[in-house]
Amino acid sequence: MLFRIEPDSSIPIYEQIIAQVTFGVASGSLAVGGLIPSVRDLAERLMVHPNTVARAYQELEREGVLVSRRGRGMEVADQADNLCRKQRQEILRRRLRDVLREAVSSSLPVEDIRHLMNEELHRVNGQKK
Amino acid sequence: MLFRIEPDSSIPIYEQIIAQVTFGVASGSLAVGGLIPSVRDLAERLMVHPNTVARAYQELEREGVLVSRRGRGMEVADQADNLCRKQRQEILRRRLRDVLREAVSSSLPVEDIRHLMNEELHRVNGQKK
Amino acid sequence: MLFRIEPDSSIPIYEQIIAQVTFGVASGSLAVGGLIPSVRDLAERLMVHPNTVARAYQELEREGVLVSRRGRGMEVADQADNLCRKQRQEILRRRLRDVLREAVSSSLPVEDIRHLMNEELHRVNGQKK
Amino acid sequence: MLFRIEPDSSIPIYEQIIAQVTFGVASGSLAVGGLIPSVRDLAERLMVHPNTVARAYQELEREGVLVSRRGRGMEVADQADNLCRKQRQEILRRRLRDVLREAVSSSLPVEDIRHLMNEELHRVNGQKK
DNA sequence: GTGGTCTAGACCACG
DNA sequence: GTGGTCTAGACCACC
């Protein structure tokens, strides 16, 4: 699986990592029962501090997405795929709701909001790699 | 004009104030050339510290949305309505793009994204007060 | 004598008035023993608050430049011309020193400073009205 | 790099800090890509409150002179040297113009202004440390 | 009354 | 350790 982060985003790096692992498990590109990259390995690949990766993994373990296997590393937990699909849905719904709530509160007409929304969905979907 | 903030949002209070003034000028509920509420007045209404309001106003002055009238207060600058309409459009477009980009990168099918999007737009628009 | 102020300058309006009166007396366009415009009159002409003009006059009275003549207004004090010429010199010297000190501290080479200085003196002198 | 401020100047401390950083980058004593002193460190050195330094740094970040590196500190941005050299020139030109405009408006003869100017430039340059 | 600056110190997120 | 935000309250200049 390909990890990519944006160091200058306003979203903390560890949250970006959490989201990417969650989405990876939800989509199946990180298989249940499979090992994920070690903290050091991923930190080196992403050029971030190992503490940052460790924090993300710790959080994912707390959520039940990862389990640590002594001496081997961390693997994707049983049932994590269902869990992650639910979380994916809820994360995205929540973010959409926040931005749409702000858009509506700005007094921009709903038609304009819908127009912007479709425009950006097309643009973003077209750039998918 | 009605100001409302969410103290527990992850968005800083002073940024919420900036957005509300910007949107207010864009929609015309804050008229060009008119005085806006004084720092102390708005702080009391929002139950936040005056410094927090002052910071927002200073930022808006720097952007050219407000001008300070010594001894009288701050007023909405000339041309600020055009400026704010542009900014409103760009702020919302940018936020929509970010959340949609994340949604697409999560491998959730585009149809599901569109469904979520419309669902939330309806819900949020229905709650408009 | 023509009074002109810049309401948006960083220099307070009352100080601008003080400087203009001082310079006017120094140059002779406000004659010793002559009456100066009343607070109300000048405030109206400059479109500023009467308190602001009053404050400037008060300060000039304290300095000995103006004296109030009961029932008639304020007039330029005896010897004020000499006093104002000294003050003019000192005010200007002080401001020049401050800006040059800053220029030197900026590590811009002295030759460049001298060049800027002459360039601006020419420009400003050419615009004299 | 040596920082020094005058607490009793009429120029706000945070603006003095902004000017010193700008001049430091312009002159090369603050290198592009390098970290600048931390907020707490500089505050201690200058014996001012950390908030005052933070405000200056934030303004410099907004101008594009500094970039914040999360968890590490603030560093001098790419291209900041060119930017700061332009700003230095414009700041000094603007201040010179203002004081010379005032001098000319005072009706002091141009020769006297030029004399004062050279006198003060020599004096200030001689005191350079 | 207005905004502007500064000190003081708390709490947080991030690395 | 770093910077970012917020509260609190002081003092000032200006109108």
Side-chain angles (χ1 to χ4, degrees):
Chain A
M1 155 146 193
L2 179 69
F3 285 89
R4 203 180 304 175
I5 59 159
E6 301 184 17
D8 295 336
S9 157
S10 72
I11 300 172
I13 294 171
Y14 80 93
E15 279 194 20
Q16 295 183 47
I17 297 173
I18 291 173
Q20 296 216 7
V21 172
T22 304
F23 294 164
V25 175
S27 72
S29 50
L30 288 176
V32 165
L35 284 176
I36 61 168
S38 77
V39 166
R40 281 185 198 170
D41 175 22
L42 186 55
E44 204 168 332
R45 274 204 268 160
L46 298 178
M47 297 195 303
V48 300
H49 198 287
N51 283 354
T52 307
V53 179
R55 176 171 180 181
Y57 282 8
Q58 207 175 349
E59 178 70 13
L60 286 160
E61 188 177 12
R62 205 190 51 72
E63 289 176 1
V65 174
L66 301 181
V67 288
S68 76
R69 295 296 178 199
R70 273 194 307 224
R72 283 193 294 146
M74 306 198 70
E75 72 177 39
V76 178
D78 258 16
Q79 307 290 338
D81 49 349
N82 289 321
L83 177 61
C84 287
R85 273 194 287 272
K86 275 190 213 118
Q87 286 183 338
R88 173 172 67 175
Q89 174 100 351
E90 282 320 301
I91 289 170
L92 296 178
R93 181 190 294 281
R94 177 76 197 163
R95 301 221 174 148
L96 274 167
R97 182 177 309 172
D98 286 346
V99 63
L100 290 175
R101 202 194 305 266
E102 182 175 27
V104 167
S105 84
S106 82
S107 303
L108 190 69
V110 179
E111 291 72 31
D112 294 18
I113 296 173
R114 194 183 308 278
H115 181 70
L116 269 180
M117 220 168 63
N118 287 321
E119 213 172 63
E120 291 304 322
L121 181 54
H122 274 116
R123 179 199 306 249
V124 163
N125 195 40
Q127 290 173 346
K128 177 165 55 178
K129 326 178 198 185
Chain B
M1 158 151 190
L2 180 69
F3 286 88
R4 205 178 305 177
I5 58 161
E6 302 185 15
D8 294 336
S9 160
S10 72
I11 300 173
I13 295 172
Y14 79 91
E15 281 194 17
Q16 295 183 46
I17 297 173
I18 291 174
Q20 295 214 9
V21 173
T22 304
F23 294 162
V25 174
S27 73
S29 43
L30 290 175
V32 164
L35 286 176
I36 61 168
S38 80
V39 168
R40 291 164 173 88
D41 174 23
L42 186 55
E44 201 169 338
R45 275 202 265 162
L46 298 178
M47 296 195 303
V48 300
H49 197 276
N51 282 352
T52 305
V53 178
R55 177 171 181 186
Y57 280 9
Q58 265 165 342
E59 176 72 12
L60 286 161
E61 184 179 18
R62 203 197 47 70
E63 289 176 4
V65 174
L66 301 180
V67 289
S68 166
R69 297 296 178 197
R70 280 192 299 211
R72 282 192 294 144
M74 316 268 297
E75 77 177 38
V76 178
D78 254 20
Q79 307 288 338
D81 49 349
N82 290 320
L83 177 62
C84 288
R85 273 193 286 271
K86 274 189 213 118
Q87 286 182 338
R88 174 174 64 176
Q89 174 100 353
E90 282 320 300
I91 289 169
L92 296 178
R93 180 191 293 283
R94 176 75 197 165
R95 302 224 174 143
L96 275 167
R97 182 177 311 173
D98 286 347
V99 63
L100 291 174
R101 201 194 308 264
E102 183 176 27
V104 166
S105 86
S106 81
S107 304
L108 190 68
V110 178
E111 291 71 30
D112 294 18
I113 296 173
R114 193 183 307 278
H115 181 70
L116 269 180
M117 220 167 63
N118 286 321
E119 211 171 64
E120 291 302 326
L121 181 55
H122 275 115
R123 178 198 307 250
V124 163
N125 194 39
Q127 291 172 345
K128 178 165 56 177
K129 323 176 197 185
Chain C
M1 157 150 191
L2 180 68
F3 286 88
R4 204 179 305 174
I5 59 159
E6 301 183 18
D8 294 337
S9 157
S10 71
I11 299 174
I13 294 170
Y14 80 94
E15 279 193 20
Q16 295 183 48
I17 297 173
I18 291 174
Q20 296 215 7
V21 172
T22 304
F23 294 164
V25 175
S27 72
S29 51
L30 288 175
V32 165
L35 283 176
I36 61 167
S38 77
V39 167
R40 281 185 197 169
D41 174 23
L42 186 54
E44 205 168 331
R45 275 203 269 160
L46 298 178
M47 296 196 303
V48 300
H49 198 286
N51 283 353
T52 308
V53 178
R55 176 170 181 182
Y57 281 8
Q58 208 175 350
E59 178 71 14
L60 287 161
E61 189 177 12
R62 206 190 51 70
E63 289 176 1
V65 173
L66 301 181
V67 288
S68 77
R69 296 297 179 199
R70 272 194 309 223
R72 283 193 294 147
M74 304 197 72
E75 72 177 38
V76 178
D78 258 15
Q79 307 290 338
D81 49 349
N82 288 320
L83 177 61
C84 287
R85 274 194 286 272
K86 274 190 214 119
Q87 287 184 337
R88 175 174 64 177
Q89 175 100 351
E90 283 320 301
I91 289 170
L92 296 177
R93 181 190 294 283
R94 177 75 197 162
R95 302 225 173 143
L96 275 167
R97 183 178 308 172
D98 286 347
V99 63
L100 291 175
R101 203 195 305 266
E102 183 174 27
V104 166
S105 86
S106 82
S107 303
L108 190 68
V110 179
E111 291 70 31
D112 294 18
I113 296 173
R114 194 183 308 277
H115 181 71
L116 271 180
M117 220 167 63
N118 287 321
E119 212 171 64
E120 291 303 323
L121 182 54
H122 275 116
R123 179 199 305 248
V124 164
N125 195 41
Q127 291 173 345
K128 177 166 55 178
K129 321 175 198 184
Chain D
M1 156 148 192
L2 181 69
F3 286 87
R4 204 179 305 176
I5 59 161
E6 301 185 15
D8 295 335
S9 159
S10 73
I11 300 173
I13 296 172
Y14 79 91
E15 282 193 17
Q16 295 183 45
I17 297 173
I18 291 174
Q20 296 215 8
V21 172
T22 304
F23 294 162
V25 174
S27 72
S29 43
L30 290 176
V32 165
L35 287 176
I36 62 169
S38 80
V39 168
R40 291 164 174 88
D41 174 21
L42 186 55
E44 203 169 337
R45 277 201 264 162
L46 297 178
M47 297 195 303
V48 299
H49 197 275
N51 282 352
T52 306
V53 178
R55 178 170 179 186
Y57 281 10
Q58 264 165 342
E59 176 71 13
L60 287 161
E61 184 179 18
R62 204 195 47 69
E63 289 176 5
V65 174
L66 301 180
V67 289
S68 167
R69 296 297 178 195
R70 281 192 299 210
R72 282 192 293 142
M74 316 269 294
E75 78 178 36
V76 179
D78 254 21
Q79 308 288 338
D81 49 349
N82 290 320
L83 177 61
C84 287
R85 273 193 287 271
K86 275 191 212 115
Q87 286 183 337
R88 174 174 65 176
Q89 174 101 352
E90 282 319 301
I91 289 168
L92 296 178
R93 180 190 294 283
R94 177 75 197 164
R95 301 222 176 146
L96 275 166
R97 182 178 310 173
D98 286 347
V99 63
L100 291 174
R101 201 193 308 261
E102 184 176 26
V104 166
S105 87
S106 82
S107 303
L108 190 68
V110 178
E111 291 71 31
D112 294 18
I113 296 173
R114 194 183 307 279
H115 181 71
L116 268 180
M117 221 167 63
N118 286 320
E119 211 171 64
E120 291 303 325
L121 181 54
H122 275 116
R123 180 199 306 249
V124 164
N125 196 40
Q127 292 173 345
K128 177 166 56 177
K129 325 175 201 186

